Amino acid sequence: MTATRAERPSLLIFDWDGTLMDSVALICRCLEAAFAYAGLPGRSLADYRSIIGLGLGDALARLAPEADERARSRILEGYRRCYFAADLEDTPLFPGVEDSLKSLRESGFTLAVATGKARRGLDRALDAHPSLRPLFAATRCADESRSKPHPQMLMEILAATGRKASEAWMIGDTVHDVAMARAAGMAALGVSCGVDDVHTLEREGAFAVLSGPAQLPDFIART
């Protein structure tokens, strides 16, 4: 695969879970609890990790293709019960995220979020970190658009910010983020602090992979 790279972006679009917030372990724990709540056999940790970034509906279609509508509704209910009962202090932002985002915004970059979270979940996370909310010019969630890897969220963000795909980077920790960016004709920059490793992200088409989002201001300065 040939990675698509914008020489220097004006728009930076971030995934949330595993990219800005250290929430992968909580998501896996809640998926395990959700299957137990629905009375179904659990899946492996690798299976749970593989669907992080997708909307819950698409995630369950992959994790439990044999489940009927009633069973999937129970899994969804169990997941939401676990997630919204969790203390978000257990899912902090990755080190340096807040300072890095503020630095990028002050340097003139437009920031946005494209996440597999539902709007309710993203709003809860932003409410826990209120200084971040005004930094983002646009946010899109899987329950109000198409789930990754479909590019609809990115296309809506481009329209909302008046940018072209060639002027933007998608920053994320999963192959779903990279695939979404490629489908939109957008450069994908990986971070290895979440789900997928450097090799996997580069193989899928990320033009570079950082260890975490705090590296981004320096990385862009060298671009």
Side-chain angles (χ1 to χ4, degrees), residues 38 40 60 64-77:
L40 296 174
L60 293 186
E66 77 287 358
D68 59 20
E69 184 176 348
R70 183 176 180 277
R72 290 190 189 182
S73 294
R74 289 284 292 174
I75 298 170
L76 285 170
E77 181 183 352

Side-chain angles (χ1 to χ4, degrees), residues 129-215:
H129 302 280
S131 63
L132 297 190
R133 188 183 289 274
L135 300 179
F136 298 115
T139 59
R140 289 295 184 277
C141 300
D143 64 339
E144 59 194 14
S145 187
R146 295 282 296 275
S147 174
K148 301 172 187 179
H150 194 281
Q152 184 174 338
M153 282 194 280
L154 296 184
M155 304 311 292
E156 290 175 351
I157 289 172
L158 291 175
T161 57
R163 299 299 201 284
K164 299 176 183 178
S166 60
E167 299 172 309
W169 289 358
M170 175 67 207
I171 300 111
D173 68 304
T174 73
V175 295
H176 310 305
D177 298 310
V178 177
M180 177 174 65
R182 290 176 60 82
M186 186 180 296
L189 177 66
V191 290
S192 60
C193 52
V195 171
D196 289 317
D197 61 24
V198 174
H199 174 73
T200 300
L201 293 167
E202 289 182 339
R203 182 191 67 208
E204 293 301 311
F207 69 82
V209 181
L210 308 180
S211 63
Q215 290 186 307

